[in-house]
Amino acid sequence: MNPQEVAVQEDEGLGWGKSLPVPSVQEMVRKDSQSLPERYIQEHNNRPLDSEFSPDLCEIPIINFSLLANGDEEEQRKLDLACKEWGFFQITDHGVTEKVLHDMKAAEAAFFELPLEEKKKYAMGENDLQGYGQGYVVSEQQKLEWCDLIFLMTLPPNIRKFKHWPVSIPGFKKAVETYSTEMQKVAEEMLANFSLLMGMEREDLKSLHGEMKQAMRMNYYPFCSRPELVLGISPHSDASTITLLIQDDDINGLQIRHKQKWVPVKPIPNAIVVNIGDALEVWSNGVYKSIEHRAVTNEKRSRMSIATFLIPGDEVEIGPLESMVDDKHHPRMYKKIKYLDFLRHSLGGKLDGKAHTEFLKLDAE
């Protein structure tokens, strides 16, 4: 292989898709906090209207991770119910230290405090989703989200592309690596519990992932003069197996769709929000559902969050597990598909609720 071929290979990216470059929202707000360009004003039916909120402001389930890891049957039942009824829950007592969480949040904050020209050094490549920019921008006409992000592949270590990592920030690399390792431990214990609930051995779900990947999306949602007209991120479900999220301890922004209403996910300091992804919905034959969620903004304060995605290997075939199929009571609902094909389909369009999962269903022609 000659050096030119190596360079081309280096720049190929993930092969998952790409997102068009758009201006930094953070920079736009810094220069003029009152302006609201037309492309960010959502269509009326997509705006975060108060009338859509759940009147009883119910809260998503809280699971004690330590009890779960020790095989507590009551906590496993709670997990099963949370996944069937909500698709979202918060875990406490998860063993990830406050320092690890704090260092990770500080690393993210340090990145978004960099001058724009410095941040641009880590911009997404032309055919890649890794790096700094915005996600799911597929046309010059679509509405844009009130959010800047940096997306990094974090595990296995050999797929890290350090040209997208702001390693010039003291402590950034170490904070991400430590946090990544801790999130993986939590994620694998969650998978072990899902395995048992789905009638398999503890390690089976992990094994099904082939070369399991982990990715991180760090989000920066600037404050907005008209928060009722914009969305930090549009309604969507995650293409992952599961997602682990940490958010600011005292700013609401994440909302999930539950019984046709939007329910705010109230932050619990140091808790981790966990949600079911599309891959687990397929493997569970729809028993566990990936749920639409979105992020809203506010007038006074910017908000940050960090989502860690657990992802099957590209070549893995996902489809309903035999233990979750019962021809009489729970017939097979989904096709078998190579995960990479699903991912490309999912990332190839703008965020649009659960639309990207419809083609996975057997009756979708």
Side-chain angles (χ1 to χ4, degrees):
M1 187 182 281
N2 68 44
Q4 280 179 313
E5 285 175 324
V6 174
V8 169
Q9 193 179 37
E10 269 298 298
D11 289 330
E12 270 177 1
L14 292 165
W16 291 355
K18 61 182 179 179
S19 185
L20 300 175
V22 289
S24 159
V25 186
Q26 183 183 8
E27 195 65 12
M28 193 169 70
V29 172
R30 193 181 67 77
K31 286 181 175 164
D32 179 1
S33 64
Q34 296 307 303
S35 84
L36 187 53
E38 184 64 32
R39 272 193 84 184
Y40 294 89
I41 298 174
Q42 295 290 327
E43 303 297 351
H44 199 272
N45 61 353
N46 217 19
R47 293 176 192 171
L49 306 172
D50 289 341
S51 59
E52 301 174 315
F53 288 119
S54 175
D56 49 5
L57 285 178
C58 40
E59 292 185 17
I60 69 170
I62 298 168
I63 304 288
N64 183 307
F65 181 85
S66 176
L67 291 176
L68 208 56
N70 287 321
D72 186 284
E73 288 182 11
E74 181 54 35
E75 214 60 22
Q76 278 189 336
R77 271 195 293 275
K78 274 172 68 178
L79 174 66
D80 189 41
L81 211 58
C83 295
K84 285 173 176 169
E85 294 187 357
W86 286 85
F88 263 81
F89 51 93
Q90 302 208 55
I91 55 172
T92 57
D93 206 7
H94 44 64
V96 183
T97 66
E98 237 175 281
K99 181 181 183 333
V100 169
L101 298 173
H102 173 270
D103 289 353
M104 184 64 227
K105 288 180 178 181
E108 179 189 27
F111 172 72
F112 285 108
E113 280 164 14
L114 291 174
L116 180 62
E117 287 312 307
E118 187 64 24
K119 287 199 284 274
K120 278 183 172 177
K121 291 177 183 174
Y122 307 102
M124 290 175 181
E126 196 177 323
N127 288 302
D128 203 359
L129 295 165
Q130 294 177 90
Y132 169 67
Q134 278 198 19
Y136 296 94
V137 184
V138 295
S139 83
E140 300 289 351
Q141 286 74 44
Q142 79 186 68
K143 293 295 183 184
L144 296 177
E145 294 169 338
W146 203 256
C147 174
D148 293 341
L149 66 91
I150 181 167
F151 182 84
L152 303 175
M153 296 303 298
T154 40
L155 286 177
N158 66 309
I159 64 170
R160 293 171 181 166
K161 289 273 181 72
F162 287 115
K163 66 178 180 181
H164 296 299
W165 290 46
V167 287
S168 59
I169 297 171
F172 183 93
K173 182 168 177 279
K174 184 174 188 293
V176 173
E177 288 179 337
T178 305
Y179 179 77
S180 164
T181 301
E182 291 299 307
M183 286 296 108
Q184 195 67 8
K185 285 182 201 163
V186 171
E188 290 186 8
E189 180 59 43
M190 293 307 311
L191 286 190
N193 278 275
F194 292 133
S195 276
L196 294 173
L197 289 170
M198 291 160 72
M200 301 185 292
E201 299 295 321
R202 269 181 71 88
E203 294 299 311
D204 285 356
L205 198 48
K206 180 184 172 182
S207 300
L208 286 172
H209 280 73
E211 187 185 45
M212 187 190 289
K213 294 187 170 78
Q214 184 198 78
M216 234 177 255
R217 175 179 158 141
M218 302 175 208
N219 302 300
Y220 184 91
Y221 303 105
F223 63 85
C224 180
S225 59
R226 299 289 305 278
E228 73 282 5
L229 299 179
V230 305
L231 281 173
I233 189 166
S234 301
H236 67 286
S237 62
D238 294 342
S240 57
T241 301
I242 58 170
T243 303
L244 310 176
L245 178 94
I246 56 171
Q247 46 182 349
D248 281 335
D249 287 343
D250 56 354
I251 310 172
N252 277 6
L254 173 64
Q255 298 176 348
I256 71 166
R257 199 191 281 284
H258 180 68
K259 296 180 178 172
Q260 270 55 65
K261 293 282 186 182
W262 288 102
V263 176
V265 177
K266 227 163 44 184
I268 299 172
N270 301 320
I272 298 170
V273 179
V274 182
N275 63 279
I276 302 299
D278 301 330
L280 191 54
E281 177 176 321
V282 171
W283 269 323
S284 74
N285 199 28
V287 171
Y288 298 155
K289 289 194 169 54
S290 60
I291 298 297
E292 276 184 75
H293 49 290
R294 68 183 186 184
V296 297
T297 60
N298 70 78
E299 265 181 281
K300 295 189 172 65
R301 294 175 65 186
S302 297
R303 173 178 167 268
M304 286 183 275
S305 68
I306 302 158
T308 304
F309 306 100
L310 197 72
I311 306 167
D314 286 356
E315 299 303 312
V316 166
E317 195 174 61
I318 58 170
L321 298 169
E322 291 307 320
S323 59
M324 302 305 285
V325 175
D326 170 348
D327 290 339
K328 192 174 178 187
H329 301 293
H330 207 78
R332 190 178 302 274
M333 291 171 57
Y334 301 84
K335 308 167 185 171
K336 282 189 173 174
I337 186 170
K338 192 161 80 167
Y339 184 67
L340 178 60
D341 294 338
F342 167 60
L343 204 51
R344 282 177 174 160
H345 174 84
S346 172
L347 295 170
K350 63 177 186 174
L351 291 178
D352 185 18
K354 292 273 290 176
H356 65 286
T357 59
E358 286 304 307
F359 96 118
L360 292 170
K361 294 186 176 169
L362 276 174
D363 55 6
E365 289 305 325

